Amino acid sequence: MKKTTYNGIFILLFLIIFGCKKENNKQDISGKMENISTSDYGVTPKGDSIKKYTLTNKNGMKVEVSNFGGIITSLTAPDRNGKYEDVVLGFTKPEGYFDGNPYYFGALIGRYGNRIANAKFALEGKTYEIDKNDGPNSLHGGKEGFHTRFWNIEAVKDAKFPTLKLSYISADGEEGYPGKLTTTVFYTLTDDNALEISYEAETDKPTVVNLTQHSYFNLSGNFTKTITDHELQINADHFLPVNETLIPTGEQKAVKGTPFDFTVSKAIGKDINADDDQLKKGKGYDHNWILNGKGLRSIAKVYHQGTGRLMEVFTDEPGVQFYSGNFLDGKFDTKTGGKNEFRTGFCLETQHFPDSPNQPSFPSTELKPGQKYHSKTIYKFSVKN
């Protein structure tokens, strides 16, 4: 009987110790996730509850993401005094995002970023008509593009830095696009104050894909101020001229000697009001630059002298759409008071070229079954004294 009693005690002690270790392991895992928090973020008109996810790095930089549209609702960056301020435009209330988000503030864009002429394209001998939501053209995947969809979001537990995995399955025929498209996007906030965005996609039918992120930046941290004093450099020797509906003409024009030359850093406002046909068509800059080099490389830098903030953009994409906020019209309040007026934010949308499905000379955006779409873009923030 004594032997049996001792064995029982030993087994009990083993289970207690093992259970404690297992519980400690659980605490360790949850501890790693302290840099990712979740909160409620409003209810859509349809009654769907929306969540907001906040990533925080060791420096105190924060990025807030909604599972509605994969939208970046806030991103903070330090000034020369170490003060972190929000530097992306957005609505003051969640309802602004749920009600169409006409400016595409902070949204994930798909299936096709930018414009497709006449809202149609041919693929393998078949013509597809897609949503016509920008005059005669289709813009940013259509009225019900990825910016209006619910994304499944989960924290990546074994990641070195706080990382969110966003996934969405777009049905065959959604907004007129062929094929069931499975899309995965990773948002990672590193300890060197960089937001890394990685895109992946697979399809079960031939289709076209061009994913991007549509955050508007104002490095001053005051969203009532224009961005014309920001100094911009783009590593590109050519850009794509556009027609009256902002569709590329097919010409690849040298930037040298034009207002589109940002090979050397200059204020965005220096030439923006020049007597130039292309600037008149876009009401400013709303064009695709053909980036120099290949692979993941530095393609643009933006500096705001007043705060010392510097943003550097890296991508493996062949192009970037620089948009100077020409269609912001003061209809909505900003997060810092006042209104989102003309040219109070800029976008650097890394992507393939606009209207590529209709222009064979442009890099292809076709994705076939068995292939995997990959793309990566990094927005890195620092201070320049």
Side-chain angles (χ1 to χ4, degrees):
M1 292 295 295
K2 286 185 178 180
K3 187 174 181 180
T4 303
T5 301
Y6 288 145
N7 286 343
I9 293 172
F10 176 78
I11 292 171
L12 180 62
L13 288 172
F14 176 80
L15 290 174
I16 291 172
I17 293 171
F18 179 78
C20 289
K21 285 185 177 180
K22 191 172 183 180
E23 184 63 32
N24 286 339
N25 285 339
K26 287 182 179 178
Q27 291 172 354
D28 288 344
I29 291 173
S30 63
K32 290 179 182 178
M33 304 313 293
E34 288 178 359
N35 48 18
I36 301 178
S37 61
T38 308
S39 58
D40 292 328
Y41 190 64
V43 178
T44 70
K46 295 180 180 179
D48 297 305
S49 297
I50 305 302
K51 296 291 186 181
K52 182 175 69 176
Y53 301 77
T54 302
L55 306 178
T56 306
N57 71 5
K58 70 175 185 180
N59 308 313
M61 179 177 175
K62 295 180 183 292
V63 177
E64 297 179 355
V65 179
S66 164
N67 63 340
F68 182 86
I71 292 168
I72 295 174
T73 60
S74 177
L75 184 155
T76 66
D79 66 7
R80 61 168 54 90
N81 298 316
K83 182 181 180 181
Y84 281 81
E85 291 181 297
D86 193 359
V87 295
V88 293
L89 275 61
F91 295 106
T92 58
K93 297 179 180 179
E95 289 75 18
Y97 299 105
F98 306 155
D99 190 24
N101 192 0
Y103 307 121
Y104 303 91
F105 279 151
L108 284 177
I109 300 298
R111 292 187 186 190
Y112 200 96
N114 220 307
R115 295 172 175 87
I116 293 181
N118 301 311
K120 63 182 179 181
F121 61 91
L123 192 61
E124 298 195 343
K126 184 177 180 179
T127 298
Y128 294 92
E129 294 189 3
I130 54 180
D131 186 45
K132 190 179 291 186
N133 65 327
D134 184 49
N137 307 318
S138 184
L139 175 66
H140 293 331
K143 184 179 179 181
E144 301 294 330
F146 285 6
H147 65 292
T148 69
R149 303 295 178 171
F150 296 96
W151 292 74
N152 180 63
I153 297 186
E154 56 185 300
V156 180
K157 294 182 179 180
D158 57 350
K160 182 178 180 181
F161 301 110
T163 300
L164 294 176
K165 178 184 177 182
L166 296 81
S167 55
Y168 174 68
I169 298 176
S170 175
D172 182 17
E174 185 175 286
E175 295 298 276
Y177 288 90
K180 182 178 78 172
L181 188 75
T182 302
T183 303
T184 305
V185 180
F186 295 90
Y187 284 142
T188 299
L189 179 60
T190 70
D191 284 341
D192 60 352
N193 287 355
L195 175 63
E196 298 183 354
I197 307 172
S198 299
Y199 307 86
E200 298 175 359
E202 294 179 288
T203 183
D204 64 354
K205 292 181 181 179
T207 191
V208 293
V209 184
N210 192 26
L211 306 178
T212 191
Q213 223 292 330
H214 208 288
S215 286
Y216 290 71
F217 299 95
N218 187 323
L219 301 184
S220 75
N222 183 339
F223 303 134
T224 63
K225 292 184 176 181
T226 68
I227 45 78
T228 52
D229 63 341
H230 289 49
E231 297 172 19
L232 171 65
Q233 183 266 329
I234 303 177
N235 185 21
D237 296 325
H238 295 80
F239 78 104
L240 297 178
V242 296
N243 65 19
E244 289 75 12
T245 65
L246 302 183
I247 294 294
T249 63
E251 179 187 5
Q252 300 186 19
K253 186 174 181 179
V255 300
K256 189 174 182 180
T258 78
F260 293 79
D261 189 353
F262 285 92
T263 52
V264 176
S265 182
K266 68 177 181 182
I268 290 172
K270 181 179 179 181
D271 299 317
I272 202 168
N273 295 316
D275 185 13
D276 180 89
D277 176 65
Q278 284 297 305
L279 289 174
K280 290 176 182 177
K281 286 175 178 174
K283 297 184 178 181
Y285 298 108
D286 191 6
H287 297 73
N288 183 87
W289 271 253
I290 302 170
L291 299 171
N292 298 334
K294 294 182 179 180
L296 188 64
R297 73 276 193 209
S298 174
I299 60 100
K301 294 180 181 179
V302 188
Y303 173 60
H304 183 254
Q305 188 174 17
T307 60
R309 290 190 177 100
L310 176 68
M311 183 178 81
E312 187 170 9
V313 184
F314 302 79
T315 192
D316 53 13
E317 288 283 350
V320 65
Q321 185 85 3
F322 167 48
Y323 170 53
S324 53
N326 315 309
F327 296 102
L328 296 174
D329 51 13
K331 288 182 179 178
F332 299 96
D333 295 332
T334 82
K335 293 181 285 183
T336 56
K339 301 288 185 178
N340 287 307
E341 301 285 0
F342 184 59
R343 295 177 182 164
T344 52
F346 69 89
C347 302
L348 287 168
E349 305 158 57
T350 56
Q351 56 191 245
H352 273 54
F353 302 169
D355 199 36
S356 290
N358 294 313
Q359 306 214 27
S361 65
F362 290 176
S364 176
T365 54
E366 183 178 353
L367 183 68
K368 297 180 179 180
Q371 296 178 334
K372 194 165 188 177
Y373 173 101
H374 286 281
S375 180
K376 186 171 186 177
T377 293
I378 302 171
Y379 297 94
K380 184 178 181 181
F381 298 86
S382 59
V383 174
K384 178 182 174 184
N385 293 315

